[in-house]
Amino acid sequence: MAIRLYNTLTRRKEEFVPREPGKASMYACGPTTYNYFHLGNARMLVVFDMIRRYLIHKGFDVTYIQNFTDVDDKIIKRAAEEDCDPIALAGKYINEYFTDAKALNILPADIHPKATEHIPEMIDIIRRLEEKGLAYNIDGDVYFAVDKFPGYGKLSGRTLEDMQAGARVEVDDKKHNPMDFALWKKAKAGEPFWESPWGKGRPGWHIECSAMSLKYLGPGFDIHGGGGDLVFPHHENEIAQSEGCLEGQQFARYWMHNAFITINQEKMSKSLGNFFLVRDVTGKFPGDVIRFYLLGTHYRSPLDFDDEKLVMASKGLDRLKNSVRLAKEALGKALGKEGMTFGIIAANRDQKADNEMAEASLEARNAFEQAMDDDFNSAQAYAALFELAKGINTYLAKVSIKTESLAEAAQTLIELAEILGFDLEAEAEVLQGDSGKLAQVMELVMEIRANARKNKDWTTADLIRDRIKEIGIVIEDTPEGARWYLK
């Protein structure tokens, strides 16, 4: 089945047909680096990381570009407040970005271009727009003339008249039209600047993404993405200045935008002061839980935030991890007992249950792919994962002889989750860390508790179980003996 995605430009789902067969080119607008990024930013970053991963899974050779805005009014303002150099401030938060992105298992882009490293490319586009009569210079400030570009408004679906009537535009008497936007800003005292044909200055916000996406991906690249708040004016302006410069060539083929995260149905944003930094949230919840929460709703649907939803996400992810853990434990016992192999124990298998388990694996793969092929519906893909986990748990409960079908199901669950950026075997890595000391300590704890239960000292046994649960380790008593795992 071909991938179908929702194109903001055409306002409908379309089959994804890349510019070059077998290749996919993507550009996503990265953060403005004057602070740690917040959960609203994280949704966009995680969504396009997921899309990239799925395209790779489908066999595409993906080139993914995500920029950093490292010169901007907000950066300059924050640097002034902290009495530091704006470029140094931006550099600090670029480094911090990678720390938070790693916590959410966001893969680094193939290229992370910075605005300050692409000033010549921006100047070249502005110069060409000026030559075509699409830009004008007034005393060192250069503006794009929106009424000279016939297609202005095609992404947002607004007419120029409607935008002029309803927009809140920065007051600037020099503009020919209130909707005209800055391509180049004349330098002010104390601000960073670069030399240009119009004098000392710095680029406007919108021009940087045109310059960097065209440099690394070229005209007509496949997917341009970002948060829904970027449709207008940022992406609308990108199209105007890029296609105005490209002389009839298309800038980007598909435009994708994720919906907002809200707090009490109000958009999360720094300007409203109702945002939560990823750095703070990861202090309360693991990064994979945050990612699980962010992908638990289709990317084009609003996502309301509160801690309880993260608690629910934690429980959901634990269900998947526990199914994998229990399957591996059962398989380990089956394979380890007297050197048994799947082939030897095959004669004693429950053939009906094995067939059902094998069928569940196949159905999960098909359901997962159908969901993701339909505009990257990660929420529906989750349903396929949970259904397979349920099948694994049912198999474990009723089948005494574990065979290849269980191994295949567990591996299927692991592989499908990995496509979405989740490592369902991560717990094993924790247990092996620091020379396996946690596992060694828990072996001793389990021995002490087993002796307490043998001596019918239920008070001590229960105390150990309850107290260790408080620090995130669960002990379960089963017919096959006690076992433990990280919560």
Side-chain angles (χ1 to χ4, degrees):
M1 179 177 174
I3 294 174
R4 293 179 59 80
L5 55 81
Y6 184 84
N7 188 351
T8 307
L9 184 64
T10 60
R11 295 164 188 77
R12 65 174 183 266
K13 289 183 185 179
E14 300 177 1
E15 181 178 341
F16 177 61
V17 180
R19 177 179 57 184
E20 298 180 64
K23 296 184 178 181
S25 47
M26 296 177 59
Y27 183 92
C29 291
T32 300
T33 51
Y34 68 101
N35 199 349
Y36 304 103
F37 67 84
H38 62 66
L39 209 57
N41 306 137
R43 187 181 195 191
M44 185 280 289
L45 297 166
V46 167
V47 162
F48 286 95
D49 178 72
M50 170 200 67
I51 291 171
R52 175 196 190 185
R53 288 171 180 267
Y54 190 67
L55 290 173
I56 292 172
H57 164 71
K58 296 290 281 189
F60 289 97
D61 179 8
V62 179
T63 301
Y64 182 52
I65 312 298
Q66 181 207 300
N67 74 303
F68 289 117
T69 297
D70 61 343
V71 58
D72 175 85
D73 291 341
K74 294 175 182 177
I75 296 172
I76 293 170
K77 181 177 182 291
R78 180 71 178 270
E81 293 170 352
E82 298 189 8
D83 192 25
C84 66
D85 176 68
I87 305 302
L89 177 81
K92 168 190 171 182
Y93 286 112
I94 288 172
N95 291 334
E96 297 294 351
Y97 162 87
F98 287 107
T99 298
D100 290 338
K102 184 177 181 180
L104 300 180
N105 200 20
I106 298 170
L107 299 173
D110 294 301
I111 303 174
H112 280 286
K114 301 174 186 176
T116 55
E117 296 174 349
H118 296 78
I119 303 297
E121 290 85 353
M122 297 182 216
I123 289 175
D124 182 59
I125 292 175
I126 298 169
R127 181 184 53 77
R128 290 161 66 184
L129 290 171
E130 191 177 31
E131 291 173 354
K132 296 174 184 294
L134 294 172
Y136 57 92
N137 170 26
I138 298 180
D139 192 27
D141 289 315
V142 185
Y143 299 96
F144 185 90
V146 296
D147 57 356
K148 302 290 186 182
F149 183 74
Y152 195 77
K154 63 183 179 180
L155 182 68
S156 59
R158 310 180 189 188
T159 66
L160 189 55
E161 291 75 17
D162 290 341
M163 287 186 274
Q164 289 172 328
R168 293 177 295 175
V169 181
E170 182 182 352
V171 177
D172 190 337
D173 294 335
K174 297 184 295 185
K175 292 181 180 180
H176 293 175
N177 184 310
M179 294 304 300
D180 292 349
F181 57 89
L183 297 168
W184 187 261
K185 297 183 177 183
K186 183 179 180 180
K188 296 178 182 177
E191 292 185 349
F193 65 84
W194 288 262
E195 297 289 347
S196 80
W198 315 281
K200 295 178 180 179
R202 58 186 174 87
W205 173 36
H206 313 295
I207 193 67
E208 65 175 84
C209 288
S210 291
M212 290 185 280
S213 59
L214 289 174
K215 176 175 180 177
Y216 295 106
L217 300 176
F221 65 90
D222 296 315
I223 297 173
H224 195 314
D229 56 334
L230 298 183
V231 173
F232 183 85
H234 185 50
H235 288 166
E236 192 75 73
N237 292 350
E238 276 191 62
I239 291 176
Q241 64 200 10
S242 301
E243 296 189 353
C245 179
L246 289 171
E247 298 181 343
Q249 295 183 75
Q250 188 177 29
F251 176 41
R253 297 160 62 84
Y254 304 94
W255 289 82
M256 300 184 68
H257 298 90
N258 63 278
F260 303 129
I261 290 183
T262 58
I263 306 291
N264 297 323
Q265 282 71 56
E266 186 175 45
K267 175 195 167 188
M268 180 184 291
S269 72
K270 293 188 178 80
S271 61
L272 295 175
N274 65 343
F275 64 93
F276 293 87
L277 298 175
V278 169
R279 183 66 55 94
D280 294 335
V281 182
T282 52
K284 300 170 65 177
F285 296 91
D288 60 351
V289 169
I290 299 170
R291 185 183 179 101
F292 200 77
Y293 155 73
L294 292 172
L295 295 180
T297 300
H298 188 272
Y299 76 90
R300 287 194 290 114
S301 297
L303 178 60
D304 203 51
F305 172 80
D306 61 52
D307 277 5
E308 184 57 33
K309 290 183 173 64
L310 282 168
V311 172
M312 295 302 295
S314 178
K315 292 178 179 179
L317 185 57
D318 278 347
R319 283 172 56 194
L320 300 180
K321 287 184 176 181
N322 287 340
S323 292
V324 169
R325 177 181 57 81
L326 293 173
K328 293 182 74 172
E329 284 182 3
L331 290 166
K333 291 177 181 178
L335 290 169
K337 187 177 181 181
E338 298 177 358
M340 281 188 174
T341 66
F342 286 133
I344 293 174
I345 62 177
N348 300 314
R349 71 173 61 187
D350 183 330
Q351 192 64 54
K352 180 181 178 182
D354 282 339
N355 291 343
E356 290 174 350
M357 189 77 274
E359 183 65 24
S361 297
L362 181 60
E363 289 178 357
R365 284 192 184 275
N366 290 337
F368 181 92
E369 297 245 353
Q370 286 177 11
M372 293 297 288
D373 285 345
D374 184 15
D375 196 26
F376 307 99
N377 193 336
S378 55
Q380 198 61 42
Y382 277 17
L385 300 183
F386 283 121
E387 189 64 25
L388 180 57
K390 179 182 176 182
I392 290 173
N393 295 342
T394 300
Y395 180 94
L396 288 169
K398 72 177 184 180
V399 177
S400 57
I401 302 297
K402 312 301 190 285
T403 64
E404 303 101 311
S405 62
L406 176 62
E408 179 187 355
Q411 190 59 37
T412 297
L413 187 55
I414 291 167
E415 290 175 4
L416 296 180
E418 187 176 11
I419 294 168
L420 298 178
F422 301 107
D423 183 357
L424 300 186
E425 298 179 287
E427 180 180 286
E429 296 179 9
V430 174
L431 303 185
Q432 293 166 2
D434 197 15
S435 302
K437 289 181 181 178
L438 176 59
Q440 294 174 32
V441 169
M442 283 306 301
E443 184 177 349
L444 176 60
V445 169
M446 297 295 281
E447 182 179 339
I448 294 171
R449 184 171 181 271
N451 287 333
R453 286 170 59 84
K454 181 178 180 180
N455 295 328
K456 302 188 184 303
D457 183 359
W458 310 118
T459 301
T460 298
D462 291 348
L463 177 65
I464 293 172
R465 181 197 62 202
D466 296 342
R467 291 295 298 275
I468 210 150
K469 185 177 181 180
E470 293 176 4
I471 63 173
I473 301 174
V474 177
I475 295 177
E476 290 181 343
D477 294 305
T478 74
E480 297 178 341
R483 59 189 174 212
W484 66 274
Y485 62 92
L486 295 177
K487 184 177 180 182

